[in-house]
Amino acid sequence: MNATGQARAARHAPENPGQGRDVFAYLRSGPFGGPTPAVAALLVLMPVALPSSTMATEILIFAMATLACNLLLGYGGLLSFGQAIFFGAGAYLSSLATMHLGAGLLPALLAAVVSGAILAALVGALAVRRTGIYFVMMTLAFNQTAYFIAYTLSDWTGGDNGLLDVPRPPLTLFGAALADLSTATSYYVFTAVLFLLVFIAVRRVIASPFGSTLIAVRENEDRARALGYDTRNFKITAFALSGAVTSLAGALYAMLLNFAPLENIQLSMSENIVIMTVIGGTGSLLGSLLGAGAWVIISDMLAEIWPRWQILTGGALILIVLFLRGGLWGGVESLMRRFSGGGAHHAPDGNPDDAGPPPQPME
Amino acid sequence: MRDSHILTTENLSLSYGGFRAVDKVNLRVKPRTVHSVIGPNGAGKTSLFHCLTGGRRPTGGRILFKGEEITNRSAHARVGSGMARSFQITSLFQNLTVRENLRLASQGRDGNRSLLFWRSVNARKEHIELADSITERLGLAGKAAVAAGDLSHGQQRLLEVGMALCGKPELLLLDEPTAGMGVDDIPMMTKLIADLGKEYSVMLIEHNMGIVMAVSDTITVMSRGGVLVEGKPEEVRADPRVREAYLGKVA
């Protein structure tokens, strides 16, 4: 069952033999250590370096969805093609809450987070009853179902036209107005703060008993079960967390565009999220930011020069999968290793903090 | 009347279609002993083991652990009640360090309490301490930070048993702990199992007759799904049926 030799050879990271992956490496650096300062610096630089703050905001929103997908794929080994369900649901529900119930910004986002978690727990509870390819097919089927539900309920979702005139309420807390988010820059700052909080939270989750067990389930589910873990509960919890964050991203996206299109809940959105995760590098949280950034920037550039740009992004994906195993972050890591003394060997303690475990796409 | 045996099976059976892999087996494992099950290939040892660990649901009979019926209890729930197993084919977390393998094994006894995603893994110091003490006991202290997959085969077999120990079990189910081990590593495993028999109850499935004879308090010989002979090592060794059918081939 556990064809260890083959499985190991097939995985990436052969460059550091003798170096075991260790969650203790995360802990030594604490929630504000490791890559967190680098991420904070990037958040400050992004609106300056990029053509617009709107683009920077879009990157952060997709980076959030990518982080959530990475939690499932990179750490839990669960390839979900159902992430758009939660992204779309977050967009619709928060929009409906602001439009029909007059909900403020934070209540609307909270509603998205809670409903995303519940929805993902339900989808997860059914999907994790199967493993491998059947699990993947289940997530795909759920996504199709969700799409057609959204399409059919056009009184609520706007159907094909999407939900128009989604408001972006000002930031208020207990009735006190804190900030008006109507400008692109102020909305960027708000999104960046949320992104940093999500990033720190996901790191903390990975270094928790739950996160370390999730990695164990990915590595060897039979063994995890034999050690006393009800592995399904761990997968379902991972889904709920992933759904909550994805749904938050969806809600922020609707407020960014002032519009919640049907595309949010389409299967192609799920594909895009998975692609960004793989491009960035599974099992690396900083990679998720890189992946989302690369995807948004490349799509934007190519869309200007050629209407059939998606063919080129497909080609870019093929190149990365073929030549950059471990994704963009894997590439950055091996470059850093080359420049830092050239030695291929780390001391076991010098574990790069955020280089999570290697990918193992299906179960 | 309370059963003084830690593990009892009553007419335990497992059939695949018409084939009876385990056929009305009655076992009684005494606390703090090493109880071995031997027999030729196809005798039903592994099927029996699967029933005991919860990997397969028996098609007949009952399993009692500490006097409590566990016949239909799931594999992970059995760990919580005090059973732990090792695997015949090494089953480790290959990409994780030795220390993390053992820490996860220690944490396993917490079951669903490990779902807490907002606490640090350091919150339960006892898991790390137990992991470190087992590392020491296995003689792997110098290898704590090495990925399990990079250990030698013999060391992996030791870690395999060590992970079962981390569950603080009352009953250890060991499935061919010496499988694939080199001759040089075997004395170490023999000593470990003999030691374990003093602290825990050990149920051992093993091919290596040398180890079985050296460490066992009781031996059950299986044949065609059923129990052929049961007794102390010297009784089993002397039994003509066993000699004829099994030991003859090995010796």
Side-chain angles (χ1 to χ4, degrees):
Chain A
M1 165 137 310
N2 183 27
T4 51
Q6 285 171 357
R8 272 180 64 70
R11 286 181 209 162
H12 108 122
E15 301 105 277
N16 5 334
Q19 180 198 339
R21 303 291 183 170
D22 191 341
V23 287
F24 297 102
Y26 293 94
L27 293 167
R28 277 194 290 273
S29 56
F32 302 106
T36 308
V39 169
L42 273 175
L43 294 181
V44 174
L45 283 177
M46 271 169 59
V48 186
L50 292 168
S52 71
S53 343
T54 304
M55 188 191 210
T57 311
E58 196 181 352
I59 289 176
L60 290 187
I61 287 169
F62 282 112
M64 252 185 229
T66 307
L67 276 182
C69 180
N70 205 347
L71 183 67
L72 287 179
L73 178 59
Y75 297 89
L78 298 163
L79 177 57
S80 159
F81 276 104
Q83 298 302 93
I85 305 171
F86 320 128
F87 194 85
Y92 285 132
L93 291 172
S94 65
S95 302
L96 291 171
T98 49
M99 291 162 78
H100 296 296
L101 304 176
L105 181 72
L106 295 180
L109 294 180
L110 189 67
V113 168
V114 172
S115 55
I118 294 170
L119 205 53
L122 290 175
V123 169
L126 290 166
V128 303
R129 301 181 72 84
R130 292 286 171 269
T131 57
I133 195 77
Y134 300 102
F135 162 82
V136 178
M137 296 310 288
M138 292 269 277
T139 62
L140 219 141
F142 275 117
N143 204 147
Q144 288 298 68
T145 311
Y147 169 76
F148 283 111
I149 290 173
Y151 184 82
T152 312
L153 295 178
S154 54
D155 287 350
W156 292 93
T157 63
D160 239 349
N161 301 321
L163 262 183
L164 305 174
D165 300 322
V166 175
R168 188 193 298 169
L171 175 60
T172 55
L173 197 60
F174 303 116
L178 297 178
D180 169 40
L181 302 178
S182 58
T183 67
T185 314
S186 58
Y187 192 60
Y188 174 79
V189 173
F190 175 69
T191 311
V193 170
L194 280 185
F195 178 81
L196 194 64
L197 292 176
V198 167
F199 187 85
I200 292 170
V202 173
R203 282 191 77 225
R204 186 172 170 134
V205 165
I206 288 164
S208 70
F210 165 77
S212 63
T213 310
L214 192 61
I215 293 172
V217 172
R218 180 204 64 193
E219 286 282 308
N220 187 343
E221 185 167 357
D222 281 340
R223 178 47 124 170
R225 219 178 284 123
L227 291 177
Y229 298 108
D230 187 348
T231 55
R232 277 185 192 170
N233 288 346
F234 287 82
K235 294 179 180 177
I236 293 169
T237 307
F239 256 95
L241 292 171
S242 181
V245 173
T246 310
S247 191
L248 173 65
L252 289 170
Y253 197 50
M255 289 177 190
L256 173 72
L257 303 179
N258 296 119
F259 172 46
L262 188 61
E263 282 80 45
N264 279 350
I265 205 165
Q266 242 168 10
L267 189 57
S268 59
M269 178 61 80
S270 289
E271 289 166 12
N272 287 347
I273 293 172
V274 169
I275 288 172
M276 285 184 254
T277 311
V278 173
I279 287 181
T282 51
S284 154
L285 299 184
L286 199 50
S288 290
L289 180 55
L290 289 183
W295 178 257
V296 171
I297 293 168
I298 293 173
S299 316
D300 190 69
M301 274 166 33
L302 293 178
E304 274 178 30
I305 48 178
W306 192 29
R308 296 265 170 269
W309 58 277
Q310 271 148 332
I311 297 176
L312 292 182
T313 52
L317 178 67
I318 292 169
L319 286 178
I320 286 179
V321 171
L322 279 179
F323 297 110
L324 263 184
R325 300 178 80 185
L328 289 174
W329 177 244
V332 171
E333 256 191 324
S334 59
L335 274 180
M336 291 198 316
R337 219 172 290 137
R338 198 160 299 171
F339 285 117
S340 65
H345 286 258
H346 288 265
D349 245 22
N351 220 337
D353 175 81
D354 214 26
Q360 189 195 18
M362 257 180 274
E363 292 291 336
Chain B
M1 192 188 76
R2 205 166 148 85
D3 194 346
S4 69
H5 296 95
I6 185 152
L7 181 76
T8 313
T9 68
E10 292 172 1
N11 291 325
L12 189 68
S13 304
L14 175 65
S15 310
Y16 298 101
F19 175 67
R20 292 165 167 274
V22 178
D23 193 9
K24 297 199 176 114
V25 168
N26 292 296
L27 282 178
R28 284 189 299 278
V29 180
K30 294 194 204 89
R32 270 178 285 289
T33 61
V34 178
H35 188 130
S36 300
V37 175
I38 61 170
N41 285 330
K45 304 185 297 289
T46 301
S47 296
L48 172 68
F49 195 81
H50 284 323
C51 292
L52 297 180
T53 58
R56 291 245 171 230
R57 196 142 293 181
T59 45
R62 303 202 301 159
I63 307 171
L64 302 171
F65 179 58
K66 295 188 284 184
E68 218 180 302
E69 171 146 12
I70 59 158
T71 317
N72 292 319
R73 202 173 281 179
S74 68
H76 55 80
R78 291 182 196 204
V79 177
S81 54
M83 289 169 83
R85 67 167 295 193
S86 76
F87 286 75
Q88 179 182 352
I89 297 163
T90 309
S91 181
L92 305 169
F93 303 118
Q94 299 273 335
N95 291 308
L96 307 180
T97 62
V98 169
R99 190 178 198 228
E100 178 64 1
N101 267 272
L102 292 168
R103 194 196 62 78
L104 282 163
S106 311
Q107 187 186 268
R109 190 81 194 256
D110 283 3
N112 279 340
R113 269 175 290 156
S114 303
L115 281 169
L116 288 169
F117 53 79
W118 203 245
R119 289 179 72 181
S120 152
V121 290
N122 275 348
R124 302 296 298 272
K125 284 265 189 303
E126 66 265 31
H127 296 325
I128 294 168
E129 280 159 15
L130 179 62
D132 287 344
S133 78
I134 300 281
T135 316
E136 199 77 35
R137 174 163 199 178
L138 301 174
L140 294 175
K143 303 272 183 189
V146 172
D150 292 324
L151 294 176
S152 74
H153 184 76
Q155 288 167 334
Q156 291 195 19
R157 297 303 304 169
L158 286 173
L159 181 56
E160 179 68 52
V161 175
M163 285 176 74
L165 288 182
C166 284
K168 290 189 185 158
E170 287 162 70
L171 176 68
L172 262 175
L173 299 157
L174 303 179
D175 192 4
E176 295 197 28
T178 62
M181 263 181 125
V183 184
D184 297 339
D185 293 328
I186 284 183
M188 208 171 165
M189 185 63 88
T190 312
K191 187 176 174 305
L192 180 64
I193 295 171
D195 283 351
L196 295 179
K198 292 170 196 148
E199 292 168 54
Y200 307 89
S201 311
V202 179
M203 166 116 209
L204 175 68
I205 292 191
E206 184 54 71
H207 266 308
N208 185 313
M209 236 16 101
I211 287 206
V212 171
M213 289 301 165
V215 303
S216 305
D217 297 292
T218 312
I219 298 177
T220 299
V221 186
M222 280 184 80
S223 167
R224 289 181 205 156
V227 173
L228 183 69
V229 178
E230 185 172 299
K232 292 189 164 62
E234 51 276 17
E235 294 165 6
V236 168
R237 200 197 299 265
D239 194 292
R241 285 168 297 176
V242 180
R243 271 194 105 80
E244 186 187 326
Y246 311 104
L247 292 182
K249 284 185 208 156
V250 180

